[in-house]
Amino acid sequence: MSKLRCLPLGLDFRALVVLFLIVPTAIIGIYFHGQKITYFLRPLWQSPPKPFIIIPHYYHENVSIETLCKLHGWGAREFPRRVFDAVLFSNEIDMLKIRWKELYPYITQFVLLESNSTFTALPKPLNFEINKDKFEFVEPRLTYGKIGGRFRRRQNPFIEEAYQRIALDQLLRIAGIQEDDLLIMSDVDEIPSAHTIDLLRWCDEIPNVLHLQLRNYLYSFEFLYDQMSWRASVHRYKKGETRYAHYRQTDYLLSDSGWHCSFCFRYISDFIFKMKAYSHNDRVRFSHFLSPKRIQERICKGADLYDMLPEEYTFRDMIGKMGPIPHSYSAVHLPSYLLENAEDYKYLLPGNCVRESGG
Ligand SMILES: *[C@@H]1O[C@H](CO)[C@@H](O)[C@H](O)[C@H]1NC(C)=O
Ligand SMILES: *[C@@H]1O[C@H](CO)[C@@H](O)[C@H](O)[C@H]1NC(C)=O
């Protein structure tokens, strides 16, 4: 008898526990970690893209260009193609200098466009113009363009980004790009190695469009995340056809072609600017993510600024990349200008994670 009477009571108690403990905990949990939960389940709702056809890459400084072209199954040309390097610029001053010094010997025209608006419609200074004196070495080969932002609040940032890329197409025509010239399409911090561009300008039957596989670094060359940055691409320019883009455009990917150093900034203030300005600004879910002290701690640990899970398509890859990136102590095969000016860029080299606060 007593058992029967206890049962409804017990049920009530459990119902109360669910109502007042588990439900609020779950709601708080989803509020703070919702993004993590959906990312963790990503392998279930999204299948991986079609794999790339990876082209093996051969290089040694003492091997002739004829031999290198032949190793790739290509012929060597009698004279090299002209090469255009085009970027949309925001605030990556140091990366731009390292990039242009790396590529300098092989570039016909450096093409740079900057806007007074971020992709997220915040006003920004014309950082390139302000720092122009650091780039005098490219002056005779520079086509520089400015574009006014449209400042449409609450618009998807990818629309402003697309608008700026269309303007870059026009700037390339002003720079004098011609049929079959090589065009590098990549963000400032996606730096092809000089020998990769030299190979592509000298060899004959390279694919019309080719993605470059770059080593992915975060914060500096101390944190090597993986080898699989692929968005940078090189095009043999076709009039009326080639459009400046930063998404997947072909299946071909040339292995080991350079470096992609994300969030490789000198000043903490640059990190904060970038976190607010770029197209994924929705990742700044809490204002404490912008605290300089927290940012500095994350940089030294190699941990994610947004407290997010790795964006991977399989549980195996995701779990393998969870947590901070291990420290790397290799500074072998980095851009030469970086090593020749190591004192000035020491924050990019292993063992120097502490940043200046900046303006
Ligand atoms: C590269 O070639 C130069 C000149 O022919 C030679 O002195 C040097 O030893 C070579 N280096 C390597 C690593 O083979
Ligand atoms: C951005 O540039 C455009 C064109 O030069 C100008 O008309 C506009 O006033 C500028 N806006 C800001 C916020 O600086």
mmCIF file of all heavy atoms in Angstrom, residues 216-251:
data_model
loop_
_atom_site.group_PDB
_atom_site.id
_atom_site.type_symbol
_atom_site.label_atom_id
_atom_site.label_comp_id
_atom_site.label_asym_id
_atom_site.label_seq_id
_atom_site.Cartn_x
_atom_site.Cartn_y
_atom_site.Cartn_z
ATOM 1 N N ASN A 216 49.117 25.963 -42.902
ATOM 2 C CA ASN A 216 48.250 26.818 -42.105
ATOM 3 C C ASN A 216 48.886 27.110 -40.749
ATOM 4 O O ASN A 216 49.073 26.200 -39.947
ATOM 5 C CB ASN A 216 46.965 26.040 -41.797
ATOM 6 C CG ASN A 216 45.784 26.589 -42.540
ATOM 7 O OD1 ASN A 216 45.689 27.793 -42.783
ATOM 8 N ND2 ASN A 216 44.866 25.704 -42.871
ATOM 9 N N TYR A 217 49.194 28.382 -40.513
ATOM 10 C CA TYR A 217 49.714 28.774 -39.195
ATOM 11 C C TYR A 217 48.708 29.689 -38.519
ATOM 12 O O TYR A 217 47.948 30.397 -39.189
ATOM 13 C CB TYR A 217 51.023 29.543 -39.332
ATOM 14 C CG TYR A 217 52.179 28.726 -39.865
ATOM 15 C CD1 TYR A 217 52.402 28.626 -41.238
ATOM 16 C CD2 TYR A 217 53.048 28.066 -39.002
ATOM 17 C CE1 TYR A 217 53.470 27.884 -41.736
ATOM 18 C CE2 TYR A 217 54.116 27.337 -39.484
ATOM 19 C CZ TYR A 217 54.327 27.246 -40.848
ATOM 20 O OH TYR A 217 55.380 26.519 -41.340
ATOM 21 N N LEU A 218 48.743 29.715 -37.191
ATOM 22 C CA LEU A 218 47.882 30.618 -36.440
ATOM 23 C C LEU A 218 48.746 31.468 -35.506
ATOM 24 O O LEU A 218 49.610 30.923 -34.800
ATOM 25 C CB LEU A 218 46.874 29.799 -35.625
ATOM 26 C CG LEU A 218 45.779 30.601 -34.895
ATOM 27 C CD1 LEU A 218 44.871 31.342 -35.879
ATOM 28 C CD2 LEU A 218 44.941 29.671 -34.010
ATOM 29 N N TYR A 219 48.558 32.772 -35.519
ATOM 30 C CA TYR A 219 49.238 33.782 -34.685
ATOM 31 C C TYR A 219 50.687 34.039 -35.091
ATOM 32 O O TYR A 219 51.166 35.166 -35.000
ATOM 33 C CB TYR A 219 49.202 33.421 -33.193
ATOM 34 C CG TYR A 219 47.828 33.105 -32.663
ATOM 35 C CD1 TYR A 219 47.626 32.057 -31.767
ATOM 36 C CD2 TYR A 219 46.736 33.844 -33.069
ATOM 37 C CE1 TYR A 219 46.351 31.758 -31.289
ATOM 38 C CE2 TYR A 219 45.456 33.549 -32.600
ATOM 39 C CZ TYR A 219 45.278 32.519 -31.716
ATOM 40 O OH TYR A 219 44.030 32.219 -31.262
ATOM 41 N N SER A 220 51.427 32.973 -35.472
ATOM 42 C CA SER A 220 52.830 33.138 -35.846
ATOM 43 C C SER A 220 53.288 31.812 -36.444
ATOM 44 O O SER A 220 52.509 30.860 -36.504
ATOM 45 C CB SER A 220 53.678 33.459 -34.614
ATOM 46 O OG SER A 220 53.824 32.283 -33.826
ATOM 47 N N PHE A 221 54.558 31.761 -36.834
ATOM 48 C CA PHE A 221 55.079 30.515 -37.382
ATOM 49 C C PHE A 221 55.433 29.515 -36.274
ATOM 50 O O PHE A 221 56.045 28.495 -36.530
ATOM 51 C CB PHE A 221 56.252 30.808 -38.314
ATOM 52 C CG PHE A 221 55.813 31.561 -39.547
ATOM 53 C CD1 PHE A 221 55.960 32.936 -39.638
ATOM 54 C CD2 PHE A 221 55.193 30.893 -40.592
ATOM 55 C CE1 PHE A 221 55.517 33.637 -40.755
ATOM 56 C CE2 PHE A 221 54.738 31.574 -41.722
ATOM 57 C CZ PHE A 221 54.901 32.948 -41.801
ATOM 58 N N GLU A 222 55.040 29.827 -35.056
ATOM 59 C CA GLU A 222 55.230 28.888 -33.943
ATOM 60 C C GLU A 222 54.101 27.863 -33.872
ATOM 61 O O GLU A 222 54.251 26.801 -33.285
ATOM 62 C CB GLU A 222 55.288 29.678 -32.619
ATOM 63 C CG GLU A 222 55.383 28.797 -31.392
ATOM 64 C CD GLU A 222 55.811 29.563 -30.154
ATOM 65 O OE1 GLU A 222 56.087 30.769 -30.238
ATOM 66 O OE2 GLU A 222 55.880 28.926 -29.090
ATOM 67 N N PHE A 223 52.946 28.206 -34.451
ATOM 68 C CA PHE A 223 51.791 27.305 -34.335
ATOM 69 C C PHE A 223 51.342 26.825 -35.702
ATOM 70 O O PHE A 223 50.595 27.494 -36.406
ATOM 71 C CB PHE A 223 50.640 28.010 -33.605
ATOM 72 C CG PHE A 223 50.985 28.384 -32.192
ATOM 73 C CD1 PHE A 223 51.249 29.706 -31.851
ATOM 74 C CD2 PHE A 223 51.077 27.412 -31.204
ATOM 75 C CE1 PHE A 223 51.593 30.044 -30.555
ATOM 76 C CE2 PHE A 223 51.422 27.746 -29.909
ATOM 77 C CZ PHE A 223 51.685 29.066 -29.583
ATOM 78 N N LEU A 224 51.835 25.636 -36.072
ATOM 79 C CA LEU A 224 51.478 25.028 -37.356
ATOM 80 C C LEU A 224 50.235 24.180 -37.141
ATOM 81 O O LEU A 224 50.271 23.167 -36.462
ATOM 82 C CB LEU A 224 52.644 24.160 -37.861
ATOM 83 C CG LEU A 224 52.399 23.385 -39.149
ATOM 84 C CD1 LEU A 224 52.028 24.295 -40.307
ATOM 85 C CD2 LEU A 224 53.628 22.559 -39.512
ATOM 86 N N TYR A 225 49.131 24.630 -37.735
ATOM 87 C CA TYR A 225 47.847 23.974 -37.491
ATOM 88 C C TYR A 225 47.684 22.734 -38.356
ATOM 89 O O TYR A 225 47.423 21.647 -37.872
ATOM 90 C CB TYR A 225 46.732 24.984 -37.784
ATOM 91 C CG TYR A 225 45.346 24.482 -37.540
ATOM 92 C CD1 TYR A 225 44.905 24.202 -36.249
ATOM 93 C CD2 TYR A 225 44.462 24.292 -38.599
ATOM 94 C CE1 TYR A 225 43.628 23.745 -36.029
ATOM 95 C CE2 TYR A 225 43.180 23.845 -38.373
ATOM 96 C CZ TYR A 225 42.766 23.568 -37.089
ATOM 97 O OH TYR A 225 41.492 23.115 -36.871
ATOM 98 N N ASP A 226 47.834 22.907 -39.683
ATOM 99 C CA ASP A 226 47.845 21.760 -40.594
ATOM 100 C C ASP A 226 48.433 22.203 -41.933
ATOM 101 O O ASP A 226 48.931 23.323 -42.050
ATOM 102 C CB ASP A 226 46.449 21.130 -40.745
ATOM 103 C CG ASP A 226 45.434 22.053 -41.427
ATOM 104 O OD1 ASP A 226 45.838 23.051 -42.063
ATOM 105 O OD2 ASP A 226 44.223 21.774 -41.327
ATOM 106 N N GLN A 227 48.357 21.333 -42.919
ATOM 107 C CA GLN A 227 48.968 21.629 -44.231
ATOM 108 C C GLN A 227 47.911 22.042 -45.237
ATOM 109 O O GLN A 227 48.195 22.166 -46.412
ATOM 110 C CB GLN A 227 49.635 20.348 -44.780
ATOM 111 C CG GLN A 227 50.578 19.666 -43.838
ATOM 112 C CD GLN A 227 51.931 20.329 -43.809
ATOM 113 O OE1 GLN A 227 52.303 21.035 -44.740
ATOM 114 N NE2 GLN A 227 52.670 20.121 -42.739
ATOM 115 N N MET A 228 46.658 22.189 -44.823
ATOM 116 C CA MET A 228 45.558 22.124 -45.779
ATOM 117 C C MET A 228 44.854 23.442 -46.102
ATOM 118 O O MET A 228 43.680 23.443 -46.415
ATOM 119 C CB MET A 228 44.540 21.086 -45.327
ATOM 120 C CG MET A 228 44.833 19.676 -45.853
ATOM 121 S SD MET A 228 45.266 19.591 -47.615
ATOM 122 C CE MET A 228 43.670 19.936 -48.363
ATOM 123 N N SER A 229 45.548 24.556 -46.073
ATOM 124 C CA SER A 229 44.944 25.778 -46.582
ATOM 125 C C SER A 229 44.891 25.645 -48.111
ATOM 126 O O SER A 229 45.884 25.292 -48.736
ATOM 127 C CB SER A 229 45.799 26.977 -46.169
ATOM 128 O OG SER A 229 45.340 28.143 -46.795
ATOM 129 N N TRP A 230 43.752 25.934 -48.733
ATOM 130 C CA TRP A 230 43.620 25.673 -50.183
ATOM 131 C C TRP A 230 43.003 26.835 -50.950
ATOM 132 O O TRP A 230 42.874 26.786 -52.167
ATOM 133 C CB TRP A 230 42.756 24.428 -50.413
ATOM 134 C CG TRP A 230 41.411 24.549 -49.754
ATOM 135 C CD1 TRP A 230 41.077 24.073 -48.510
ATOM 136 C CD2 TRP A 230 40.241 25.222 -50.241
ATOM 137 N NE1 TRP A 230 39.773 24.411 -48.207
ATOM 138 C CE2 TRP A 230 39.231 25.112 -49.255
ATOM 139 C CE3 TRP A 230 39.938 25.912 -51.426
ATOM 140 C CZ2 TRP A 230 37.966 25.677 -49.404
ATOM 141 C CZ3 TRP A 230 38.671 26.467 -51.579
ATOM 142 C CH2 TRP A 230 37.693 26.340 -50.564
ATOM 143 N N ARG A 231 42.579 27.933 -50.281
ATOM 144 C CA ARG A 231 41.793 28.963 -50.983
ATOM 145 C C ARG A 231 42.603 29.776 -51.989
ATOM 146 O O ARG A 231 42.049 30.277 -52.962
ATOM 147 C CB ARG A 231 41.139 29.906 -49.981
ATOM 148 C CG ARG A 231 39.949 29.274 -49.321
ATOM 149 C CD ARG A 231 39.294 30.198 -48.312
ATOM 150 N NE ARG A 231 38.295 29.459 -47.583
ATOM 151 C CZ ARG A 231 37.026 29.320 -47.988
ATOM 152 N NH1 ARG A 231 36.627 29.886 -49.096
ATOM 153 N NH2 ARG A 231 36.188 28.597 -47.289
ATOM 154 N N ALA A 232 43.888 29.941 -51.755
ATOM 155 C CA ALA A 232 44.709 30.711 -52.694
ATOM 156 C C ALA A 232 44.721 29.998 -54.043
ATOM 157 O O ALA A 232 44.722 28.772 -54.103
ATOM 158 C CB ALA A 232 46.133 30.830 -52.154
ATOM 159 N N SER A 233 44.731 30.794 -55.128
ATOM 160 C CA SER A 233 44.760 30.162 -56.446
ATOM 161 C C SER A 233 45.574 30.992 -57.423
ATOM 162 O O SER A 233 45.802 32.187 -57.212
ATOM 163 C CB SER A 233 43.337 29.950 -56.984
ATOM 164 O OG SER A 233 42.641 31.178 -57.068
ATOM 165 N N VAL A 234 46.022 30.323 -58.481
ATOM 166 C CA VAL A 234 46.752 30.992 -59.558
ATOM 167 C C VAL A 234 46.012 30.707 -60.862
ATOM 168 O O VAL A 234 45.621 29.570 -61.115
ATOM 169 C CB VAL A 234 48.211 30.482 -59.641
ATOM 170 C CG1 VAL A 234 48.917 31.064 -60.854
ATOM 171 C CG2 VAL A 234 48.970 30.835 -58.371
ATOM 172 N N HIS A 235 45.798 31.766 -61.655
ATOM 173 C CA HIS A 235 45.016 31.651 -62.888
ATOM 174 C C HIS A 235 45.828 32.109 -64.073
ATOM 175 O O HIS A 235 46.573 33.085 -63.970
ATOM 176 C CB HIS A 235 43.772 32.553 -62.809
ATOM 177 C CG HIS A 235 42.848 32.195 -61.691
ATOM 178 N ND1 HIS A 235 41.553 31.823 -61.896
ATOM 179 C CD2 HIS A 235 43.052 32.115 -60.357
ATOM 180 C CE1 HIS A 235 40.986 31.539 -60.732
ATOM 181 N NE2 HIS A 235 41.878 31.716 -59.777
ATOM 182 N N ARG A 236 45.650 31.430 -65.208
ATOM 183 C CA ARG A 236 46.108 31.995 -66.481
ATOM 184 C C ARG A 236 44.958 32.876 -66.955
ATOM 185 O O ARG A 236 43.879 32.364 -67.262
ATOM 186 C CB ARG A 236 46.396 30.875 -67.474
ATOM 187 C CG ARG A 236 47.604 30.045 -67.040
ATOM 188 C CD ARG A 236 47.673 28.729 -67.768
ATOM 189 N NE ARG A 236 47.978 28.914 -69.186
ATOM 190 C CZ ARG A 236 48.237 27.885 -70.009
ATOM 191 N NH1 ARG A 236 48.226 26.654 -69.548
ATOM 192 N NH2 ARG A 236 48.493 28.120 -71.282
ATOM 193 N N TYR A 237 45.189 34.175 -66.986
ATOM 194 C CA TYR A 237 44.090 35.138 -67.163
ATOM 195 C C TYR A 237 43.388 34.959 -68.507
ATOM 196 O O TYR A 237 44.043 34.879 -69.552
ATOM 197 C CB TYR A 237 44.647 36.558 -67.043
ATOM 198 C CG TYR A 237 43.568 37.609 -66.951
ATOM 199 C CD1 TYR A 237 42.916 37.853 -65.753
ATOM 200 C CD2 TYR A 237 43.198 38.353 -68.074
ATOM 201 C CE1 TYR A 237 41.923 38.818 -65.660
ATOM 202 C CE2 TYR A 237 42.206 39.326 -67.987
ATOM 203 C CZ TYR A 237 41.577 39.543 -66.773
ATOM 204 O OH TYR A 237 40.591 40.488 -66.685
ATOM 205 N N LYS A 238 42.043 34.878 -68.445
ATOM 206 C CA LYS A 238 41.225 34.839 -69.672
ATOM 207 C C LYS A 238 40.335 36.069 -69.662
ATOM 208 O O LYS A 238 39.518 36.230 -68.758
ATOM 209 C CB LYS A 238 40.326 33.600 -69.683
ATOM 210 C CG LYS A 238 41.059 32.285 -69.642
ATOM 211 C CD LYS A 238 41.204 31.692 -71.037
ATOM 212 C CE LYS A 238 42.045 30.429 -70.989
ATOM 213 N NZ LYS A 238 43.403 30.616 -70.400
ATOM 214 N N LYS A 239 40.479 36.893 -70.678
ATOM 215 C CA LYS A 239 39.671 38.125 -70.764
ATOM 216 C C LYS A 239 38.187 37.795 -70.764
ATOM 217 O O LYS A 239 37.750 36.894 -71.478
ATOM 218 C CB LYS A 239 40.006 38.871 -72.051
ATOM 219 C CG LYS A 239 41.189 39.783 -71.897
ATOM 220 C CD LYS A 239 41.367 40.646 -73.153
ATOM 221 C CE LYS A 239 42.627 41.476 -73.012
ATOM 222 N NZ LYS A 239 43.108 41.988 -74.291
ATOM 223 N N GLY A 240 37.424 38.537 -69.977
ATOM 224 C CA GLY A 240 35.977 38.348 -69.946
ATOM 225 C C GLY A 240 35.532 37.118 -69.192
ATOM 226 O O GLY A 240 34.345 36.829 -69.109
ATOM 227 N N GLU A 241 36.484 36.347 -68.660
ATOM 228 C CA GLU A 241 36.118 35.098 -68.016
ATOM 229 C C GLU A 241 36.633 35.033 -66.576
ATOM 230 O O GLU A 241 35.904 34.666 -65.667
ATOM 231 C CB GLU A 241 36.740 33.948 -68.819
ATOM 232 C CG GLU A 241 35.935 32.676 -68.830
ATOM 233 C CD GLU A 241 36.624 31.643 -69.707
ATOM 234 O OE1 GLU A 241 36.544 31.741 -70.960
ATOM 235 O OE2 GLU A 241 37.282 30.759 -69.140
ATOM 236 N N THR A 242 37.898 35.402 -66.398
ATOM 237 C CA THR A 242 38.513 35.289 -65.080
ATOM 238 C C THR A 242 37.904 36.323 -64.129
ATOM 239 O O THR A 242 37.850 37.507 -64.443
ATOM 240 C CB THR A 242 40.032 35.519 -65.185
ATOM 241 O OG1 THR A 242 40.552 34.625 -66.162
ATOM 242 C CG2 THR A 242 40.716 35.273 -63.859
ATOM 243 N N ARG A 243 37.408 35.845 -62.993
ATOM 244 C CA ARG A 243 36.836 36.733 -61.975
ATOM 245 C C ARG A 243 37.570 36.510 -60.656
ATOM 246 O O ARG A 243 37.797 35.360 -60.282
ATOM 247 C CB ARG A 243 35.362 36.403 -61.720
ATOM 248 C CG ARG A 243 34.470 36.544 -62.909
ATOM 249 C CD ARG A 243 33.834 37.924 -62.974
ATOM 250 N NE ARG A 243 33.004 38.045 -64.152
ATOM 251 C CZ ARG A 243 33.473 38.363 -65.378
ATOM 252 N NH1 ARG A 243 34.756 38.598 -65.552
ATOM 253 N NH2 ARG A 243 32.662 38.433 -66.406
ATOM 254 N N TYR A 244 37.851 37.597 -59.962
ATOM 255 C CA TYR A 244 38.570 37.465 -58.699
ATOM 256 C C TYR A 244 37.684 36.777 -57.662
ATOM 257 O O TYR A 244 36.617 37.269 -57.336
ATOM 258 C CB TYR A 244 39.008 38.835 -58.180
ATOM 259 C CG TYR A 244 40.103 38.719 -57.142
ATOM 260 C CD1 TYR A 244 41.438 38.861 -57.495
ATOM 261 C CD2 TYR A 244 39.794 38.414 -55.821
ATOM 262 C CE1 TYR A 244 42.443 38.723 -56.548
ATOM 263 C CE2 TYR A 244 40.793 38.277 -54.881
ATOM 264 C CZ TYR A 244 42.114 38.432 -55.253
ATOM 265 O OH TYR A 244 43.107 38.290 -54.315
ATOM 266 N N ALA A 245 38.118 35.644 -57.154
ATOM 267 C CA ALA A 245 37.285 34.898 -56.193
ATOM 268 C C ALA A 245 38.169 34.268 -55.129
ATOM 269 O O ALA A 245 39.383 34.161 -55.289
ATOM 270 C CB ALA A 245 36.498 33.821 -56.919
ATOM 271 N N HIS A 246 37.532 33.846 -54.059
ATOM 272 C CA HIS A 246 38.288 33.263 -52.952
ATOM 273 C C HIS A 246 37.636 31.963 -52.491
ATOM 274 O O HIS A 246 37.726 31.579 -51.346
ATOM 275 C CB HIS A 246 38.371 34.283 -51.804
ATOM 276 C CG HIS A 246 39.440 33.973 -50.812
ATOM 277 N ND1 HIS A 246 39.198 33.861 -49.468
ATOM 278 C CD2 HIS A 246 40.768 33.740 -50.958
ATOM 279 C CE1 HIS A 246 40.315 33.584 -48.841
ATOM 280 N NE2 HIS A 246 41.289 33.510 -49.712
ATOM 281 N N TYR A 247 36.900 31.324 -53.412
ATOM 282 C CA TYR A 247 36.291 30.030 -53.083
ATOM 283 C C TYR A 247 36.872 28.965 -54.013
ATOM 284 O O TYR A 247 37.741 29.260 -54.845
ATOM 285 C CB TYR A 247 34.769 30.097 -53.202
ATOM 286 C CG TYR A 247 34.271 30.783 -54.460
ATOM 287 C CD1 TYR A 247 34.352 30.144 -55.705
ATOM 288 C CD2 TYR A 247 33.749 32.075 -54.417
ATOM 289 C CE1 TYR A 247 33.913 30.766 -56.855
ATOM 290 C CE2 TYR A 247 33.305 32.708 -55.574
ATOM 291 C CZ TYR A 247 33.391 32.038 -56.788
ATOM 292 O OH TYR A 247 32.974 32.664 -57.928
ATOM 293 N N ARG A 248 36.361 27.740 -53.890
ATOM 294 C CA ARG A 248 36.905 26.654 -54.695
ATOM 295 C C ARG A 248 36.540 26.815 -56.158
ATOM 296 O O ARG A 248 35.381 26.984 -56.504
ATOM 297 C CB ARG A 248 36.337 25.337 -54.167
ATOM 298 C CG ARG A 248 36.687 24.154 -55.031
ATOM 299 C CD ARG A 248 37.295 23.060 -54.235
ATOM 300 N NE ARG A 248 37.442 21.881 -55.049
ATOM 301 C CZ ARG A 248 37.337 20.652 -54.567
ATOM 302 N NH1 ARG A 248 37.060 20.468 -53.292
ATOM 303 N NH2 ARG A 248 37.524 19.624 -55.360
ATOM 304 N N GLN A 249 37.545 26.780 -57.040
ATOM 305 C CA GLN A 249 37.303 27.026 -58.458
ATOM 306 C C GLN A 249 37.750 25.898 -59.357
ATOM 307 O O GLN A 249 37.513 25.919 -60.559
ATOM 308 C CB GLN A 249 38.018 28.323 -58.864
ATOM 309 C CG GLN A 249 37.521 29.505 -58.034
ATOM 310 C CD GLN A 249 38.441 30.694 -58.102
ATOM 311 O OE1 GLN A 249 38.434 31.415 -59.073
ATOM 312 N NE2 GLN A 249 39.248 30.874 -57.073
ATOM 313 N N THR A 250 38.433 24.927 -58.806
ATOM 314 C CA THR A 250 38.917 23.801 -59.602
ATOM 315 C C THR A 250 39.254 22.658 -58.647
ATOM 316 O O THR A 250 39.289 22.849 -57.433
ATOM 317 C CB THR A 250 40.185 24.187 -60.392
ATOM 318 O OG1 THR A 250 40.749 23.012 -60.996
ATOM 319 C CG2 THR A 250 41.252 24.769 -59.499
ATOM 320 N N ASP A 251 39.528 21.476 -59.217
ATOM 321 C CA ASP A 251 39.897 20.332 -58.379
ATOM 322 C C ASP A 251 41.410 20.247 -58.154
ATOM 323 O O ASP A 251 41.864 19.471 -57.329
ATOM 324 C CB ASP A 251 39.442 19.025 -59.051
ATOM 325 C CG ASP A 251 37.926 18.885 -58.999
ATOM 326 O OD1 ASP A 251 37.299 19.592 -58.184
ATOM 327 O OD2 ASP A 251 37.378 18.084 -59.775
#
